[in-house]
Structure formats: C-alpha cells, structure tokens
Amino acid sequence: MMMLLGTHTPTIDAQYRISFPAKFRTMLGEEFLIVRHLENPCLRFYALDEWDKYLERLEAHLDQGDFEDALEYYYAESTSGTPDSLGRVRIPKELWEIIGVTIDDEESKQIVVIGCGKYGEIWGKSAYEEHKKSRPTAELNAKVRACPSRLKGNER
C-alpha cells in the first residue's frame, strides 16, 4: 500500500518548480495530479490510481449535479505533475498564487510538502504554520479515542 509520509521543505525556483522527495516520486509514478484543496489554502497531489479511487468515493456520496460541480472545481485549477530528470515538477504560477506563494520574496516563497498517506499537500509555510496552530488537537484525540478498539490496532 502506498503511503506518502513526512514533512519536507523544498525550495521553489524562478520557473515555479519544486523538487519532490525521491520517495514521493517513486510512489506517485511518472505522472500524478495536483489539485486545489476545497477548503484549505493548499494544493493536494495524488497518484492517478488514488485520484480515481477518491473520485469513486466522491461520486458515491454526491448527487450527479454536485459531483459534476466538484469535478469542475478540481479540474479547472489543476495540473499534472510530471517530474523532470532532476525530480523537479513545474506548478503553474496561478496555482501558487491560489495558496499565497510567490517567488518575489524569500518569506512568501517558503513552502512545506507533507505526506498524508494516500495523498500529499503543498502549503505556503506561513499558512501551514497557522493551520497547525488552528487544529483542534484535543477534539481530534477524543474522537480517535472514541473509535472502536479494532480501528486503533487493538483487535485480537
């Protein structure tokens, strides 16, 4: 099973490229999808087979009109990630701007790439730091503790 893990802080260059970690590139394949997140100021990236699985789950829970609206939202502001021979992926300037990243000054071009298991996320560093601070960790911990023990790895 593919698992994208860890936090990485690559540098964005003047051509709007970043180097994806080698382990991520291996798991994502020669081409993957980069889409805008629905709620957070970040981009998500998926291996093509994981994206297909995500769409299947989404389609199962939305009526046809909402599903088509979601597809329009995702695909209108998305790109395919295709690493070059050095592992760099060019992401259009417009997608960087959506998440508040520019190459104009050192602070605004700092980014964070995180693995989230079946997908990954790309954040501007300051937005990610704010996001981490705003997470309701205590509430999440309570929800996880309330899960049946078989979901927490305690099944015997």
Side-chain angles (χ1 to χ4, degrees):
M1 182 166 121
M2 178 179 82
M3 292 291 287
L4 298 169
L5 305 171
T7 302
H8 309 273
T9 54
T11 304
I12 182 173
D13 69 15
Q15 286 79 41
Y16 298 96
R17 297 176 301 194
I18 61 169
S19 290
F20 272 73
K23 191 171 184 179
F24 281 19
R25 292 192 314 267
T26 299
M27 290 184 216
L28 292 167
E30 292 181 21
E31 182 180 9
F32 53 94
L33 188 66
I34 303 170
V35 299
R36 180 181 183 178
H37 191 281
L38 278 171
E39 296 175 10
N40 293 320
C42 70
L43 303 174
R44 280 196 171 170
F45 54 91
Y46 295 83
L48 296 180
D49 61 330
E50 286 299 329
W51 177 250
D52 288 341
K53 291 175 189 175
Y54 172 77
L55 288 182
E56 287 173 13
R57 291 189 308 271
L58 191 62
E59 186 173 26
H61 290 92
L62 295 176
D63 66 38
Q64 189 62 32
D66 289 340
F67 180 67
E68 289 172 0
D69 287 347
L71 292 180
E72 179 184 335
Y73 178 88
Y74 282 129
Y75 291 137
E77 297 175 314
S78 67
T79 191
S80 103
T82 307
D84 66 14
S85 62
L86 299 176
R88 298 171 303 191
V89 174
R90 185 184 180 286
I91 299 173
K93 178 182 178 182
E94 296 77 20
L95 288 178
W96 288 116
E97 290 172 348
I98 286 170
I99 65 169
V101 173
T102 69
I103 60 170
D104 297 334
D105 67 83
E106 288 303 311
E107 186 175 333
S108 66
K109 74 179 193 178
Q110 294 179 5
I111 59 170
V112 177
V113 176
I114 59 172
C116 302
K118 295 180 180 184
Y119 62 89
E121 293 181 339
I122 303 169
W123 291 78
K125 184 177 180 182
S126 60
Y128 183 65
E129 293 300 324
E130 285 301 312
H131 174 71
K132 282 182 8 181
K133 288 179 194 174
S134 70
R135 277 190 263 179
T137 306
E139 291 174 31
L140 179 59
N141 284 336
K143 288 177 183 179
V144 170
R145 281 192 210 104
C147 287
S149 61
R150 63 183 165 72
L151 295 178
K152 294 186 279 191
N154 295 329
E155 185 174 65
R156 298 193 192 263

